[in-house]
Amino acid sequence: MPLLPPRSPLRPAYVASLLSSGAVALMGCNRLLLRARPLPLPPVPPPPPPPPPSCCASSSRVRFRGAYGLRFSCVRSGAGSRMNPSCLKANGVPHRPHSSIPRPVQLEGPVGRGIETPLKVLKMRLEELGIDMQTCLPGQYHSLLCPMCKGGRSMERSLSIFISPDGGSAVWTCFRGTCGWKGSTRAAAKPRSSYATSNQTSKVKSIREITEESLELEPLCNELVAYFAERLISAETLRRNAVMQKKCANQIVIAFTYKHGGKLVSCKYRDVKKKFWQEADTEKIFYGLDDIKGKSEIIIVEGEMDKLAMEEAGFRNCVSVPDGAPPSASDKDLPPEGQDIKYQYLWNCKDYLKEVSRIILATDGDKPGQALAEELARRLGRERCWRVKWPKKNDSEYFKDANEVLMYVGPGVLREVVDNAELYPIRGLFTFKDFFDEINAYYHRTLGYEFGVSTGWKSLNPLYNVVPGELTIVTGVPNSGKSEWIDALLCNINESVGWKFALCSMENRVREHARKLLEKHVKKPFFDSKYGEPAERMAVEDFERGKRWLSDTFYLIRCEDDSLPSIKWVLDLAKSAVLRHGVRGLVIDPYNELDHQRPSSQTETEYVSQMLTLIRRFAQHHSCHVWFVAHPRQLHNWVGEPPNLYDISGSAHFINKCDNGIVIHRNRDPEAGPVDQVQVCVRKVRNKVAGTIGDAFLNYNRVTGEFIDIDAEPKKK
């Protein structure tokens, strides 16, 4: 066994002091024979830079270099000490920039008995950070509760930690999206963490012990009792809530005593100018906390005066927040308990709140009061919160808080306000009462278009009407006139009710689409060409008027490069058209011209379902009717009959998710009937008020592109 150099720069007394202070020095002297054997460590993240020099050792290990440049490590022992090591620097010896963090070593022989292993030291370090690794084994990954975010409301075990096989190091990451805490440590080094507070010794804020005598509190004088009486708060209520006074400089202020279990823990003051301040370094809790102990229903107000006012109305199960209201509600995720400074009183009172099933939020009616109610509901759970609605003071104003209601209209009205508290709104959860205004307008037909907008064809109106907020799927075999029929329908609607439309027609060139629309509007052919021989071409004056009509009525959604537009891109532009131009209808023609890239794990059926859901939500949210053209799949052995909506290429969801399903079919057999006759097959109508299933027949004017009623009555199925 090799001996360490006897001429060490460290005297035996110094070694003894290290031993007594919980460290064993691995070095040689006349009285100490040790053999050092380094333990292999797996790769770990690089260690943090050494801390600045300090007058005391903050690490559980002391590192130093022997006389011959050998590096050693010191670990804690249980021996007593006769020497104060406070003169040591942060790493135990004067810092050398080229020194690296030493690896743990094993101690052999009787001297090493009872010395803590690297794994035990590592556990101590992690426990200081709040990581409980009692069940963790070296060389494995473990899922634990994150000490920073506490796993959120679901208490998710989101912290993944890996212990090296030799138990000398650990690496961890919290995979919860709102946390992301990560770090690493070794048994022989300080921990490194993504939270700055983890790199330094936590400073625990000391809580002052206070008493009425130490604060020099006094019973209320007659003047202050009279002041409360003017606000309809009795002397008995003041006495029960231990409202006192204090002399500050040349004035007497009101002292609201905060008690926890009957013991005074804080005090808040109010002067005649309504200026508030609190005792520093005291516990943050609700005012009146003891009054809600064991209660299943409580009331939370914004100020101490409101708490006293509620008691005058018969509600003792009431508390007040200690710090008032924020200017606005935060749109960020809730912070972890340790970082939720503004609302720390909620965490301090959680044992009183966890069994409460109904919480009435009676905060002030102004904007900050509403923001406070939202912040409280976010933390306490909206599902168990109610909110009061303060009554009107006059035609234009509402009462602000509980004390104002008590003063002006009395305790009876205040009781009624609390008894009639409403459920706190939860996004996405409603009752029919929330929609009574809309339902009333629907019943009295004041919304407009309750039965839909007429198509302009008498034969089709009994079957199909255009209702804002619905989705109509239009299909038919190629060259049946689907797009032409939709264009004619838009012209009729614009002429009757003045609607504007957004067109995403990817099969039409702009100039050709303009020609078709102008011919239907002016009712004259665009050119003096063969197809327009029987009629006179539209005059220049008609053409100029028609251009103004086009510009005022239609807004084009077109992809200006050679890429294919996605449905999201189309709907985003359609939303802009609705908000900017007041568009009431959207045409997407056709489905197969859109970009349908989807994840490899998603089927076309799933994609179509998701796409149609987006379109329907857009239609309903913006009260905009959407016509979506989709071609049928290749029909084998087709004999000329109209296709079915289930024949649409892609998915049966086209018929399942639409509000209306229409098939446009044109006769191609002269022996079966006129070839200019178009059959409009209404195959689905979700809203029975707007139509029913059946067939209507129209004549197509090839010269002007118009669809005209024929004498035949619509054929009902």
Side-chain angles (χ1 to χ4, degrees):
M1 177 183 300
L3 297 180
L4 295 179
R7 299 179 62 183
S8 171
L10 301 177
R11 296 189 302 273
Y14 182 71
V15 176
S17 70
L18 292 176
L19 290 169
S20 63
S21 62
V24 175
L26 302 184
M27 57 169 290
C29 66
N30 292 332
R31 302 176 181 81
L32 184 61
L33 298 178
L34 299 177
R35 181 170 64 190
R37 184 175 66 194
L39 291 178
L41 280 178
V44 296
S54 171
C55 64
C56 61
S58 59
S59 173
S60 61
R61 293 184 180 271
V62 181
R63 298 182 295 275
F64 54 89
R65 186 182 290 270
Y68 284 81
L70 300 176
R71 294 171 185 167
F72 300 96
S73 175
C74 300
V75 294
R76 289 190 180 277
S77 173
S81 174
R82 294 177 298 169
M83 180 176 178
N84 185 0
S86 62
C87 60
L88 298 179
K89 296 192 176 182
N91 60 353
V93 295
H95 172 62
R96 296 187 181 183
H98 59 274
S99 298
S100 62
I101 295 179
R103 297 182 177 182
V105 299
Q106 284 184 339
L107 302 179
E108 295 183 356
V111 179
R113 292 176 184 171
I115 297 180
E116 296 170 345
T117 64
L119 180 60
K120 190 170 183 180
V121 175
L122 184 67
K123 287 185 177 182
M124 292 170 55
R125 291 195 176 282
L126 294 175
E127 287 174 358
E128 292 175 359
L129 296 174
I131 300 176
D132 182 9
M133 55 167 288
Q134 296 300 323
T135 60
C136 297
L137 299 176
Q140 297 182 15
Y141 285 91
H142 301 273
S143 296
L144 305 175
L145 188 68
C146 176
M148 292 298 173
C149 65
K150 308 297 183 184
R153 188 167 294 177
S154 63
M155 302 293 289
E156 176 187 5
R157 298 169 71 88
S158 57
L159 184 73
S160 176
I161 184 169
F162 176 76
I163 310 298
S164 63
D166 69 342
S169 63
V171 181
W172 64 86
T173 299
C174 178
F175 288 97
R176 189 163 176 265
T178 57
C179 182
W181 179 49
K182 57 185 178 181
S184 63
T185 188
R186 299 187 189 188
K190 286 188 176 181
R192 297 192 308 161
S193 166
S194 57
Y195 281 74
T197 55
S198 299
N199 287 332
Q200 57 189 8
T201 304
S202 301
K203 295 182 178 179
V204 180
K205 185 177 180 181
S206 59
I207 302 297
R208 291 169 51 207
E209 295 283 342
I210 59 174
T211 62
E212 295 180 4
E213 292 76 16
S214 65
L215 299 182
E216 299 181 350
L217 302 183
E218 304 172 349
L220 289 174
C221 62
N222 293 335
E223 290 79 1
L224 287 179
V225 173
Y227 167 79
F228 281 103
E230 291 176 358
R231 307 183 75 87
L232 299 187
I233 296 174
S234 66
E236 173 59 24
T237 298
L238 297 173
R239 183 198 60 77
R240 202 189 73 82
N241 288 274
V243 181
M244 307 184 77
Q245 70 179 35
K246 180 177 181 177
K247 295 179 180 178
C248 293
N250 57 350
Q251 64 173 338
I252 296 178
V253 298
I254 300 170
F256 296 103
T257 55
Y258 282 65
K259 295 188 176 183
H260 190 174
K263 179 182 178 182
L264 181 65
V265 296
S266 186
C267 191
K268 186 175 179 180
Y269 304 104
R270 168 177 169 162
D271 65 11
V272 292
K273 296 181 180 179
K274 206 175 179 180
K275 179 182 177 182
F276 295 91
W277 68 95
Q278 300 185 39
E279 288 290 338
D281 299 331
T282 55
E283 185 181 3
K284 288 283 187 181
I285 60 169
F286 280 116
Y287 177 66
L289 179 62
D290 291 343
D291 288 340
I292 64 170
K293 184 177 181 179
K295 303 294 184 183
S296 61
E297 178 178 322
I298 67 171
I299 305 169
I300 300 179
V301 294
E302 191 174 324
E304 293 80 6
M305 297 294 288
D306 296 324
K307 147 71 176 167
L308 302 177
M310 284 291 184
E311 186 162 326
E312 292 295 338
F315 300 106
R316 288 192 176 182
N317 56 331
C318 178
V319 291
S320 169
V321 301
D323 293 332
S328 60
S330 173
D331 56 357
K332 299 180 180 178
D333 292 333
L334 289 178
E337 176 181 347
Q339 301 176 30
D340 200 9
I341 306 301
K342 171 69 177 174
Y343 301 94
Q344 196 62 43
Y345 57 88
L346 290 175
W347 300 100
N348 294 339
C349 303
K350 61 183 179 181
D351 290 339
Y352 287 75
L353 299 172
K354 62 184 180 182
E355 301 299 331
V356 177
S357 59
R358 187 169 187 254
I359 301 172
I360 300 176
L361 303 178
T363 56
D364 290 2
D366 54 13
K367 185 177 179 180
Q370 296 172 8
L372 175 61
E374 174 63 18
E375 293 293 350
L376 292 174
R378 290 174 68 197
R379 290 161 173 82
L380 299 172
R382 291 181 175 86
E383 67 280 357
R384 58 173 180 165
C385 288
W386 275 250
R387 65 177 181 182
V388 301
K389 188 174 182 180
W390 300 117
K392 272 193 169 185
K393 183 186 295 187
N394 50 48
D395 293 338
S396 59
E397 294 180 305
Y398 287 84
F399 288 109
K400 178 176 175 290
D401 54 33
N403 189 234
E404 197 171 66
V405 172
L406 176 68
M407 290 174 59
Y408 283 88
V409 290
V413 175
L414 182 55
R415 281 194 299 271
E416 184 178 346
V417 168
V418 175
D419 291 339
N420 293 331
E422 302 173 346
L423 288 167
Y424 197 88
I426 299 176
R427 186 175 182 180
L429 182 62
F430 306 95
T431 67
F432 274 107
K433 183 180 179 180
D434 299 322
F435 297 92
F436 275 176
D437 291 341
E438 181 180 344
I439 296 172
N440 290 339
Y442 187 48
Y443 174 79
H444 295 290
R445 299 187 62 183
T446 57
L447 286 174
Y449 313 122
E450 286 83 7
F451 294 162
V453 177
S454 169
T455 63
W457 297 297
K458 293 181 180 179
S459 59
L460 186 57
N461 284 338
L463 307 177
Y464 173 68
N465 287 273
V466 179
V467 178
E470 290 188 350
L471 168 62
T472 297
I473 298 293
V474 181
T475 191
V477 297
N479 203 30
S480 293
K482 302 181 293 294
S483 301
E484 289 273 6
W485 178 80
I486 291 177
D487 286 346
L489 175 63
L490 303 187
C491 291
N492 291 347
I493 294 175
N494 174 261
E495 184 177 351
S496 62
V497 295
W499 278 16
K500 299 178 181 180
F501 306 94
L503 305 178
C504 182
S505 183
M506 292 157 283
E507 289 185 331
N508 281 313
R509 292 183 179 181
V510 173
R511 64 192 184 194
E512 293 174 355
H513 204 177
R515 171 182 59 79
K516 296 176 184 179
L517 291 168
L518 285 173
E519 287 178 340
K520 293 173 176 59
H521 177 68
V522 179
K523 297 178 174 55
K524 293 180 181 180
F526 194 82
F527 291 122
D528 279 329
S529 59
K530 183 177 181 180
Y531 81 93
E533 285 178 358
E536 178 186 0
R537 181 188 183 188
M538 68 178 66
V540 175
E541 294 81 5
D542 296 332
F543 175 62
E544 294 298 330
R545 286 197 301 271
K547 287 196 301 182
R548 290 193 293 271
W549 171 78
L550 281 176
S551 183
D552 293 339
T553 305
F554 300 100
Y555 300 89
L556 306 180
I557 297 176
R558 299 187 69 83
C559 202
E560 297 179 355
D561 52 31
D562 58 356
S563 62
L564 293 177
S566 67
I567 190 62
K568 184 179 184 303
W569 182 83
V570 172
L571 295 180
D572 286 343
L573 289 176
K575 176 182 176 181
S576 300
V578 169
L579 299 178
R580 176 174 289 188
H581 303 296
V583 162
R584 300 299 302 273
L586 168 65
V587 177
I588 304 175
D589 181 14
Y591 161 75
N592 62 323
E593 290 288 339
L594 294 172
D595 180 10
H596 300 301
Q597 293 185 18
R598 63 181 189 273
S600 58
S601 59
Q602 186 180 43
T603 66
E604 185 177 12
T605 298
E606 294 170 340
Y607 167 76
V608 170
S609 174
Q610 187 180 65
M611 176 191 65
L612 294 176
T613 297
L614 289 175
I615 296 174
R616 288 195 63 202
R617 287 180 178 175
F618 165 83
Q620 294 172 359
H621 183 73
H622 297 287
S623 191
C624 177
H625 195 101
V626 179
W627 291 270
F628 195 9
V629 178
H631 295 309
R633 65 176 182 270
Q634 186 176 358
L635 301 176
H636 299 284
N637 303 320
W638 183 59
V639 294
E641 293 295 323
N644 195 286
L645 288 175
Y646 284 108
D647 293 326
I648 297 176
S649 176
S651 171
H653 282 303
F654 280 106
I655 185 173
N656 296 337
K657 290 209 165 188
C658 69
D659 297 294
N660 309 284
I662 293 177
V663 178
I664 303 297
H665 185 66
R666 183 169 62 86
N667 177 39
R668 288 171 170 76
D669 184 4
E671 297 181 359
V675 293
D676 60 351
Q677 182 172 291
V678 175
Q679 181 179 357
V680 182
C681 310
V682 182
R683 291 292 177 260
K684 179 181 179 181
V685 177
R686 192 189 301 273
N687 182 4
K688 67 180 183 180
V689 173
T692 188
I693 295 174
D695 295 346
F697 296 89
L698 303 172
N699 281 332
Y700 175 65
N701 186 334
R702 189 168 182 271
V703 175
T704 62
E706 295 177 273
F707 289 77
I708 304 170
D709 273 309
I710 57 178
D711 295 333
E713 292 293 326
K715 179 183 176 183
K716 296 288 182 70
K717 287 193 106 180

